[in-house]
């Protein structure tokens, strides 16, 4: 992309730092990724528009109280933690062609 500036190319150090924190948040939400090193305490992170970090236990991603992420995984026939897609997910939710 020579025609415009690209964040991850122009500011490599900042991008690497932010990407690291973003990946940790994503893995914390999905229950995937590497196991915590020793007894890592979940850190507080700011959300867009916040000046104070929020603890991950408080539903920091705004998923809501109606269904859990586990309920979604079961309905969609997938597992983020195990990195598994079931046949229903691979068909995109279409019925089986039996």
């Amino acid at each position: 992309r020579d025609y415009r500036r690209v964040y991850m190319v122009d500011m490599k150090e900042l991008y690497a730092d932010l990407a690291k924190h973003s990946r940790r948040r994503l893995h914390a939400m999905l229950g995937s990724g590497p196991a915590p090193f020793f007894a890592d305490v979940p850190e507080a992170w700011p959300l867009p528009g916040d000046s104070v970090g929020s603890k991950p236990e408080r539903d920091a991603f705004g998923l809501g109280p109606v269904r859990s992420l586990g309920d979604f995984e079961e309905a969609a026939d997938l597992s983020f933690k195990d990195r598994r897609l079931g046949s229903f997910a691979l068909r995109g939710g279409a019925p089986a062609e039996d």
Side-chain angles (χ1 to χ4, degrees), residues 7-75:
Y7 171 67
M8 59 188 269
V9 174
D10 295 340
M11 298 179 253
K12 290 180 182 180
E13 295 83 17
L14 178 62
Y15 174 76
D17 185 49
L18 293 176
K20 175 183 155 191
H21 294 293
S22 295
R23 285 188 194 101
R24 287 186 70 187
R25 288 181 59 199
L26 180 66
H27 287 305
M29 179 182 77
L30 298 178
S32 62
F37 191 69
F38 292 114
D40 280 349
V41 177
E43 62 189 66
W45 48 60
L47 297 175
D50 285 350
S51 59
V52 179
S54 57
K55 291 288 185 185
E57 298 86 28
R58 193 198 77 175
D59 189 22
F61 292 93
L63 298 177
V66 177
R67 287 178 207 84
S68 69
L69 187 61
D71 293 339
F72 171 76
E73 289 178 329
E74 185 178 335

